[in-house]
């Protein structure tokens, strides 16, 4: 992903009607300030210079902020969120197919569908929020056909906003809305507490007026329709997230009771010392899994060492290479703490799809023993979770008794 607007422009075909529409939307006419007949690299640099030198600093700053926000949707994670929020919009899907790069698709979405662009940004921001310790997970009753009416959304938002107003002094103006995530089989319920001076994405008559989204006072609940599995990301701490979940359960699912909070799983990374072999991987359609990277930490000296298997085509595993490189003094046998790892699960190419490119799932574990499972679909999680048990990272789960939840009064 480009880290600034100059890098983003270099990855775009800039001499296009799409770019001119984008600039015109931000009231910047670069027709006379750059030579549009120049080659793409020269034009991108000249356009960046013209933006930085623009006399109206408010227009310039908004334009740069918009470009950098568009750039957030141009990497793999952002592209997935664009697809998941737009997959039922035939016109958008057709437009995406005609464009050659994720940068062009992100810019096209910004110009042509403000609502879907903002939904993709929210979905991307939510997924990043799940990596924070403040995020929470819950088990709620499953409701595959759930639809939230405007009255349902308003009732949930009013209860949550009341809590924030009483506890933190803001929440007088709020806007709830729903973002369907079709690839994940879930929906995001979002509450924007928009009485924040620096939030330039303003709600006008139920529609979001163009402006960079600032999400520091936005609450998001992700509800998986088939399973009831729920995740929350919100300011305000644990109590605020509980208020959000309870309000969603009562007014959205029409159930009343205490939702079951899922304690964040901590994986036993020391079990990775023996590698990540799989007993019957062929039955799963998997090639040999690879421990692509492992990080160890020596408490006494404060020394951290990371061993990465370099090379995209290198099918070796880090534990195998360490045994070969250190036959008598393997770092994994020194009982140092394991504080990070990356595991690759490569699939055999699927028959009937042509080509030989294989699908690969990439698991990451951090120093706190937490993983990136939230980034996978439910189908992929169903494959991965038994492997975590087989490797000794977690204990096989026990069946939990059903949670008694009463019907909410209508």
């Amino acid at each position: 992903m480009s880290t600034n607007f100059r890098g983003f422009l270099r990855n775009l075909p800039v001499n296009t009607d799409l770019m001119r529409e984008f600039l015109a939307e931000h009231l910047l006419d670069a027709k006379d300030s750059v030579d549009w007949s120049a080659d793409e690299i020269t034009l991108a640099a000249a356009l960046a210079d013209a933006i930085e030198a623009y006399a109206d600093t408010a227009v310039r700053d908004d334009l740069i902020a918009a470009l950098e926000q568009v750039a957030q949707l141009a990497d793999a994670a952002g592209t997935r969120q664009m697809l998941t929020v737009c997959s039922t919009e035939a016109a958008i899907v057709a437009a995406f197919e005609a464009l050659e790069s994720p940068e062009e698709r992100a810019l096209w979405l910004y110009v042509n569908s403000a609502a879907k662009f903002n939904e993709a940004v929210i979905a991307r921001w939510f997924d990043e929020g799940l990596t924070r310790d403040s995020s929470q997970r819950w088990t709620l009753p499953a409701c595959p056909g759930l639809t939230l009416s405007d009255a349902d959304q308003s009732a949930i938002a009013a209860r949550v906003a009341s809590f924030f107003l009483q506890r933190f002094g803001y929440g007088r103006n709020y806007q709830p809305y729903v973002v369907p995530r079709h690839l994940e089989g879930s929906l995001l319920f979002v509450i924007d507490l928009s009485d924040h001076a620096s939030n330039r994405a303003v709600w006008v008559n139920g529609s979001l007026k163009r402006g960079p989204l600032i999400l520091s006072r936005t609450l998001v609940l992700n509800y998986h329709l088939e399973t009831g599995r729920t995740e929350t990301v919100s300011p305000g701490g644990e109590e605020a997230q509980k208020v959000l979940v309870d309000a969603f359960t009562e007014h959205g699912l029409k159930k009343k009771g205490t939702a079951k909070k899922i304690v964040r799983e901590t994986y036993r990374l020391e079990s990775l010392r023996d590698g990540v072999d799989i007993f019957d991987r062929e039955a799963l359609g998997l090639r040999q899994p690879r421990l692509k990277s492992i990080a160890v930490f020596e408490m006494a000296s404060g020394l951290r060492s990371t061993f990465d298997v370099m090379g995209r085509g290198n099918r070796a595993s880090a534990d195998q290479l360490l045994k070969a490189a250190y036959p008598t003094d393997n770092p994994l046998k020194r009982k140092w703490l394991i504080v990070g790892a990356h595991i690759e699960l490569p699939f055999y190419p699927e028959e009937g799809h042509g080509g030989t490119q294989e699908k690969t799932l990439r698991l990451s574990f951090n120093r706190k023993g937490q993983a990136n499972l939230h980034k996978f679909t439910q189908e992929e999680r169903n494959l991965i979770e038994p492997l975590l048990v087989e490797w000794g990272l977690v204990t096989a789960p026990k069946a939990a008794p059903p949670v008694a939840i009463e019907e909410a009064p209508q």
Side-chain angles (χ1 to χ4, degrees):
M1 183 183 78
S2 299
T3 56
N4 57 59
F5 81 100
R6 282 184 173 273
F8 181 68
L9 289 174
R10 285 196 295 270
N11 292 324
L12 271 176
V14 289
N15 192 3
T16 63
D17 291 338
L18 180 61
M19 176 55 70
R20 282 183 276 272
E21 286 181 50
F22 172 79
L23 296 174
E25 181 172 335
H26 285 271
L27 307 178
L28 190 150
D29 186 358
K31 180 172 59 178
D32 299 325
S33 56
V34 299
D35 178 11
W36 289 91
S37 65
D39 63 83
E40 289 286 334
I41 296 177
T42 303
L43 178 56
L47 190 56
D49 290 339
I51 292 172
E52 284 191 331
Y54 195 69
D56 190 330
T57 57
V59 171
R60 178 201 65 197
D61 293 346
D62 281 352
L63 179 57
I64 291 175
L67 278 170
E68 292 183 348
Q69 193 166 68
V70 172
Q72 291 179 359
L73 294 184
D75 65 356
T79 297
R80 177 177 176 84
Q81 295 312 320
M82 286 194 291
L83 292 175
T84 194
V85 303
C86 300
S87 60
T88 60
E89 302 288 333
I92 297 178
V93 172
F96 279 3
E97 290 177 351
L99 298 171
E100 296 183 356
S101 70
E103 288 84 5
E104 290 178 272
R105 297 183 188 104
L107 187 64
W108 185 95
L109 195 63
Y110 184 98
V111 170
N112 293 280
S113 180
K116 286 299 179 184
F117 177 85
N118 289 324
E119 287 181 7
V121 170
I122 286 285
R124 169 66 187 273
W125 173 82
F126 171 79
D127 275 359
E128 291 178 349
L130 284 181
T131 63
R132 299 196 296 265
D133 289 343
S134 58
S135 65
Q136 295 184 4
R137 285 136 180 92
W138 308 79
T139 296
L140 275 62
C143 185
L146 177 66
T147 57
L148 296 175
S149 67
D150 291 343
D152 295 335
Q153 295 178 43
S154 296
I156 300 168
R159 181 170 168 184
V160 173
S162 176
F163 167 82
F164 273 84
L165 187 59
Q166 182 178 9
R167 179 63 59 86
F168 303 108
Y170 65 90
R172 291 178 179 82
N173 300 305
Y174 56 86
Q175 177 69 38
Y177 55 103
V178 172
V179 178
R181 297 216 295 175
H182 305 288
L183 298 182
E184 285 81 0
S186 67
L187 60 82
L188 293 177
F189 179 72
V190 185
I191 305 175
D192 173 30
L193 301 177
S194 59
D195 54 342
H196 188 195
S198 63
N199 191 339
R200 290 175 287 178
V202 181
W203 288 94
V204 179
N205 298 325
S207 298
L208 194 64
K209 185 178 178 182
R210 167 67 71 212
L213 280 171
I214 298 175
L215 303 167
S216 60
R217 291 190 180 179
T218 299
L219 301 86
V220 185
L221 178 148
N222 187 57
Y223 177 76
H224 295 264
L225 299 168
E226 294 291 338
T227 65
R229 182 167 59 88
T230 300
E231 300 96 7
T232 53
V233 173
S234 166
E238 294 185 4
E239 188 175 358
Q241 294 184 65
K242 186 177 187 305
V243 169
L244 173 61
V245 171
D246 286 345
F248 180 86
T249 304
E250 180 175 350
H251 299 292
L253 302 181
K254 310 303 181 188
K255 306 285 184 180
K256 187 176 182 180
T258 303
K260 182 179 178 182
K261 183 180 176 182
I262 301 174
V263 178
R264 187 186 293 269
E265 188 73 82
T266 300
Y267 298 97
R268 299 189 291 265
L269 299 186
E270 65 273 11
S271 66
L272 296 177
R273 299 180 196 279
D274 298 321
V276 289
D277 200 5
I278 299 176
F279 175 70
D280 193 11
R281 56 183 175 79
E282 287 82 3
L284 301 175
L286 287 169
R287 295 184 185 273
Q288 180 65 39
R290 300 188 286 269
L291 185 60
K292 195 72 173 176
S293 171
I294 191 165
V296 294
F297 178 69
E298 185 189 26
M299 291 288 291
S301 65
L303 177 66
R304 173 184 170 124
S305 299
T306 302
F307 300 95
D308 296 305
V309 178
M310 305 302 292
R312 183 177 295 273
N314 192 338
R315 296 185 180 276
S317 187
D319 58 304
Q320 298 170 348
L321 295 180
L322 282 169
K323 289 178 182 177
Y326 301 92
T328 60
D329 191 21
N330 189 336
L332 296 183
K333 299 303 181 183
R334 298 178 192 170
K335 303 302 180 183
W336 291 357
L337 292 177
I338 296 179
V339 292
H342 295 275
I343 298 172
E344 288 189 350
L345 297 175
F347 288 78
Y348 288 105
E350 296 184 20
E351 295 182 5
H353 287 72
T356 58
Q357 186 174 4
E358 61 186 27
K359 172 184 176 181
T360 301
L361 300 183
R362 294 176 173 83
L363 295 169
S364 295
F365 299 86
N366 64 20
R367 61 185 177 82
K368 296 181 180 179
Q370 298 164 359
N372 63 337
L373 288 191
H374 63 277
K375 293 189 175 181
F376 299 104
T377 66
Q378 187 60 46
E379 182 181 1
E380 291 168 343
R381 288 171 64 99
N382 292 340
L383 182 147
I384 292 169
E385 287 170 352
L387 300 180
L388 301 178
V389 176
E390 183 175 343
W391 294 329
L393 287 163
V394 292
T395 305
K398 297 180 180 178
V403 180
I405 300 181
E406 62 181 277
E407 296 285 340
Q410 303 297 314

